[in-house]
Amino acid sequence: MNPLDIDAVRGDFPILHKPLPKGLPLVYLDSGSSAQKPQCVIDKEREVYENYYANAYRGVYRFGSIVDEELEGAREKIRQFINAEHSEEIVFTAGCTMSLNLVASGWGKRNLKAGDEIILNEMEHHANLVPWQQLALQTGATCRFLPLTEDGRLDMDRIGEVLSDKTKVLAVTGMSNVLGTINPIAELAKKAHDAGAIIVVDGAQSVPHEQTDVVASEIDFLTFSGHKLYGPSGIGVLYGKRELLEQTDPMLFGGHMIDRVYKDHSTWAPSPAKFEAGTIQIAQAIALGSAIDYMTTLGMESVHAHERDVLEYAYTRLQEIPGMRIYGPGIEHRGAITSFTIDGAHPEDLAQLLDRKGVFVRHGHHCTMPLHDLLGVSATVRASFGVYNSRGDVDALMDAIQFACQRLRLT
Amino acid sequence: MQDLTIDELYEEFEDLPDWDERCDYLIDLGFNLPELPAEAKIEENRVHGCQSNVWLVADIKNSTPPTVEFLANSDAVIVNGLIAVIAALYSGKTPQEIIAIDAQDVFKKLGLERHLSPQRRNGLYSMVQRVRELAVQAEAQS
């Protein structure tokens, strides 16, 4: 494993070198929400529009062929990136939310009935919670919650309390977008399969930070977003095991996804076309392939090690702030996210004052209201780190927090 | 603080052309905002649409015509500063005057439209909405 050359990586992201007003350097600590884009991704999207743009899977003319080839190339890169077995298991969607809705609606409605159970937990992002609630309402199934430990991990000792032969789905995030908790996916998959259930993994936060292997982890469905993986916005991925995708109904109907259309009924094309109705996000999907090339070239192990170093530094330094509360487990169980509150400071005030120093963080409930209810706070501030962040960014965060605390008369 | 008028606020903001300084000024206003009694911080008085909590009550003065004083508090300091702006804009006015005020125009002049997050902007307009509702009620009672 090669250590990450952070200066070179930062050089690949043009936005980091455009000073803010007053010459402030940008300290971007919101990659958990959406990541900045390297030049190669920006160039690729531009290349499509400037050189060979056409609709996908439609034309035999040369631009059409190039687009089809590029799209299938991107699909293949994604397949390799998550170690899926077949390219037809990789479906382009509009994003992680759409992917999760597709699984809940397309697989869930066909396979769940009254009395069945869905296992969730309180750290799930709304996108991996609300679609399952809806599915439960529509099918008569019940959502059950695997308890969390005091420090914000899944309480694996208590999984027997919720997992049973009634369980049909265990839906879980690879990494919490608030607590940073990294969940034991392979272990959960094994337990779910032993109970006869499938596992659906929301990889929005985990896929950009660590190597994902759907075969080794025995993941049934994996979803993730392109924009959090340094790719364009508007594009996401659904991975599903081939036999499960065969048992999944499409959610969108229309052009390209059909096999034969009659006046009174239609039949569907095989996956992935079955799930890619209409015109997909062509340039974005192709540029997502470039984002994956970029991450593969850096090496996910190197990315993970670098982010770990920044996280450890942040986790240690943040504790120097009086009144600091960091939510979630110790760093041994956590990815590159730290959510916190400071006694006496409203998270929104903090975020607004940090912005004055060019430090961009997220505040609020981060689309995890049940988790915030559990934590007993309505909002937190979140600093999330990406491949381009450095220890220097953590120092800037510390300075900005100290500035904010002074303004809020806490020091 | 309560005596601050909207014209004085315009003057202050003109002297502080930089948003950072205006933000600091809002924070100072926020710290000086009179504290709402704890019994007023109830769900009925809560203004929704803001990530921070805001409680807002109206006090109708028995003058002729009646005027309305607004009292509000938030758990966020910058929002308390915005409440001071709202108070400067509306407090001591008659219901009819209140209803006639174009708040959006005022916030634009102060540069608040541009510098607040969408949530805070929503919260600000939720407060305006509540103030107007309370003014309508006050007018009906008078």
Side-chain angles (χ1 to χ4, degrees), chain A residues 21-80:
Chain A
K22 294 187 183 174
L24 278 175
L26 169 63
V27 179
Y28 187 76
L29 300 179
D30 197 21
S31 300
S33 183
S34 200
Q36 298 297 341
K37 316 304 171 199
Q39 190 67 53
C40 62
V41 168
I42 299 166
D43 288 347
K44 190 69 183 184
E45 204 170 332
R46 196 184 169 99
E47 175 192 299
V48 177
Y49 289 126
E50 286 187 348
N51 296 329
Y52 48 80
Y53 181 76
N55 207 332
Y57 310 120
R58 307 289 200 278
V60 292
Y61 52 87
R62 65 196 68 187
F63 284 4
S65 307
I66 298 171
V67 161
D68 293 357
E69 208 174 290
E70 289 278 344
L71 276 173
E72 288 317 299
R75 201 187 300 274
E76 173 59 19
K77 285 170 190 172
I78 296 164
R79 183 195 71 74
Q80 287 178 21

Side-chain angles (χ1 to χ4, degrees), chain A residues 82 84 88-91 93 96 98-112 128 132 135 168-174 185 189 192-193 197-204 206-207 212-215 217-224 237-250 271 274-275:
Chain A
I82 61 171
E88 61 265 37
E89 295 177 325
I90 308 298
V91 178
T93 67
C96 195
M98 181 177 165
S99 300
L100 287 162
N101 274 275
L102 205 168
V103 179
S105 146
W107 186 87
K109 270 192 208 155
R110 199 205 276 198
N111 291 284
L112 267 72
N128 199 25
W132 299 111
L135 176 66
K168 290 291 175 291
V169 181
L170 190 159
V172 65
T173 183
I185 296 302
H193 292 152
I198 64 158
I199 183 165
V200 180
V201 177
D202 171 358
S206 58
V207 168
T212 306
D213 186 325
V214 290
V215 173
S217 301
E218 296 185 48
I219 294 170
D220 295 307
F221 286 107
L222 172 78
T223 67
F224 59 96
V237 172
L238 167 65
Y239 157 83
K241 272 186 190 154
R242 189 158 58 179
E243 56 274 25
L244 287 170
L245 286 176
E246 282 167 12
Q247 302 161 25
T248 302
D249 290 322
S271 181
K274 179 167 77 165
F275 306 106

Side-chain angles (χ1 to χ4, degrees), chain A residues 22 346 348-349 352-353 356 363-365 378-379 403 407-409, chain B residues 18-20 23-24 27-28 31 51-52 75-78 117 120:
Chain A
K22 294 187 183 174
H346 193 281
E348 193 167 2
D349 285 339
Q352 200 166 339
L353 288 165
R356 296 237 320 251
H363 73 281
H365 52 64
S378 60
F403 161 78
R407 282 291 179 277
L408 296 172
R409 303 186 186 175
Chain B
D18 184 273
W19 167 250
D20 287 359
C23 181
D24 283 343
I27 290 172
D28 288 340
F31 274 113
Q51 286 223 355
S52 44
D75 52 357
V77 175
I78 297 174
S117 70
R120 284 221 153 144

Side-chain angles (χ1 to χ4, degrees), chain A residues 378-407:
Chain A
S378 60
T380 49
V381 175
R382 180 183 73 183
S384 56
F385 303 98
V387 63
Y388 34 63
N389 290 122
S390 63
R391 286 182 170 223
D393 290 339
V394 176
D395 293 332
L397 171 66
M398 289 295 292
D399 291 346
I401 290 176
Q402 273 149 7
F403 161 78
C405 287
Q406 275 169 9
R407 282 291 179 277

Side-chain angles (χ1 to χ4, degrees), chain A residues 267-287:
Chain A
T267 55
W268 313 142
S271 181
K274 179 167 77 165
F275 306 106
E276 295 178 353
T279 297
I280 65 162
Q281 298 82 343
I282 297 163
Q284 292 88 336
I286 293 172

